[in-house]
Amino acid sequence: MINRLFFTLLLLILLPIVGFGSSLDHDSLFNLISESENDSIRITALINFADDIDDDYPDSAYIFLEQAEKIALEINNKHMLALIHQKEGKIFDELNDYAEAMKFFMEARKDIESNEFFAEDSIFRVRYVEVINHIGIIYFKIEKFDESLEHLNSTIRFLQEHNMLPDCEVYRTMYLKTYINIGAVNIRTRKFTESEINYTKALALLDDTD
C-alpha cells in the first residue's frame, strides 16, 4: 500500500493552491490512492492527480506518476505502463529535457511492442501512434531531421496499414497533426515542394471547426 503519510504531506503542500479538474474531488482521489485495494483504480487516481497538477507542478506530478509506475510494474499492466511512460515523457518534453523525454517515450514504445498482438488492440494502436509521433517531434526539436521524418512517416504508414482511416475523428486528427509535423521538418530541411505537398494534405483534412 502506498505510504499514506507521504501523500498527506504532499497534498498539504499542493491542495490549498491547486484546483483539481478530475470528475472526483481531491479527497475522493486521495482516498482511492491510499485505501483502495484495486490496483488499477489506484493507478488511475494517481494519474488523475498528476494530470491535474502537471502544468504548475511538474515535479510533483512526476512523483505521482512514479508511484503509479511502481504499481503497474508489480501487476505487469502494459496498458497502464505505456500510458504512464507517455505522460512522463510529456512532462520532460515540456521542461525541455529532451533526453529524459525521449527515454520515457522509448519506454512507452517498448511497453506496447512487447505485446506481439498490440496492433489488434485499439487502445494500443492509438497510443502507439501518439508515442511514435511524439518521438518524431522530439527528434525535430533536437534537429535530428532524418530520424524525425522516419518516425513521422512511419506514423502515417501505421495508420494506413491498420485501416485507421481519417473518416474517424480521432484518426483524422492524427493524420492532420502528422502531416503538419512532416511539413515543418520539410521546411527546416529546405524541401519546400515536399512541404507544400504535406501541408496540402493537412489542409484537405481540416473541417469547419478547425
Side-chain angles (χ1 to χ4, degrees):
M1 190 68 68
I2 296 175
N3 187 293
R4 185 181 180 91
L5 177 60
F6 168 81
F7 280 104
T8 300
L9 293 174
L10 184 57
L11 290 171
L12 284 173
I13 296 171
L14 293 173
L15 295 183
I17 49 178
V18 177
F20 286 85
S22 170
S23 58
L24 294 175
D25 61 44
H26 58 261
D27 289 330
S28 297
L29 284 172
F30 180 47
N31 287 335
L32 288 175
I33 292 170
S34 58
E35 303 292 347
S36 177
E37 296 182 1
N38 185 303
D39 290 325
S40 295
I41 290 175
R42 291 163 61 209
I43 292 170
T44 301
L46 285 161
I47 292 173
N48 283 339
F49 265 119
D51 284 343
D52 286 335
I53 65 175
D54 63 355
D55 286 340
D56 296 317
Y57 300 95
D59 291 342
S60 297
Y62 179 63
I63 291 173
F64 284 108
L65 290 173
E66 280 190 311
Q67 293 297 322
E69 181 181 358
K70 181 179 179 181
I71 302 170
L73 282 168
E74 290 173 354
I75 64 175
N76 194 33
N77 189 320
K78 295 295 186 180
H79 275 291
M80 288 294 190
L81 280 171
L83 175 60
I84 293 164
H85 287 142
Q86 182 183 14
K87 288 182 177 293
E88 287 171 328
K90 288 180 179 178
I91 285 176
F92 284 100
D93 180 22
E94 291 170 1
L95 293 172
N96 299 321
D97 187 342
Y98 301 130
E100 200 70 9
M102 183 69 82
K103 182 187 79 173
F104 284 114
F105 283 119
M106 289 296 189
E107 282 294 322
R109 178 178 185 171
K110 181 179 177 181
D111 295 330
I112 297 168
E113 291 180 343
S114 65
N115 181 343
E116 61 179 313
F117 302 109
F118 79 88
E120 300 174 12
D121 185 312
S122 60
I123 295 175
F124 265 157
R125 283 202 307 269
V126 170
R127 185 145 297 130
Y128 187 72
V129 170
E130 293 173 346
V131 168
I132 296 300
N133 201 307
H134 217 130
I135 291 173
I137 293 171
I138 297 294
Y139 274 126
F140 174 80
K141 290 180 178 180
I142 62 177
E143 299 187 346
K144 291 189 174 182
F145 300 122
D146 289 342
E147 291 89 343
S148 179
L149 277 179
E150 176 186 347
H151 284 80
L152 294 172
N153 283 320
S154 70
T155 298
I156 298 295
R157 286 196 302 272
F158 186 87
L159 287 165
Q160 294 171 339
E161 290 170 0
H162 293 86
N163 204 34
M164 300 164 75
L165 303 177
D167 53 357
C168 171
E169 178 63 22
V170 172
Y171 302 149
R172 183 190 71 85
T173 301
M174 290 179 172
Y175 278 99
L176 175 62
K177 291 181 177 179
T178 306
Y179 282 130
I180 290 172
N181 291 335
I182 294 172
V185 178
N186 294 148
I187 287 178
R188 289 296 301 274
T189 55
R190 303 186 65 80
K191 295 179 179 177
F192 301 120
T193 300
E194 289 88 341
S195 179
E196 182 181 9
I197 290 170
N198 284 293
Y199 280 134
T200 299
K201 290 179 181 178
L203 282 170
L205 293 168
L206 293 174
D207 64 20
D208 292 339
T209 64
D210 289 318

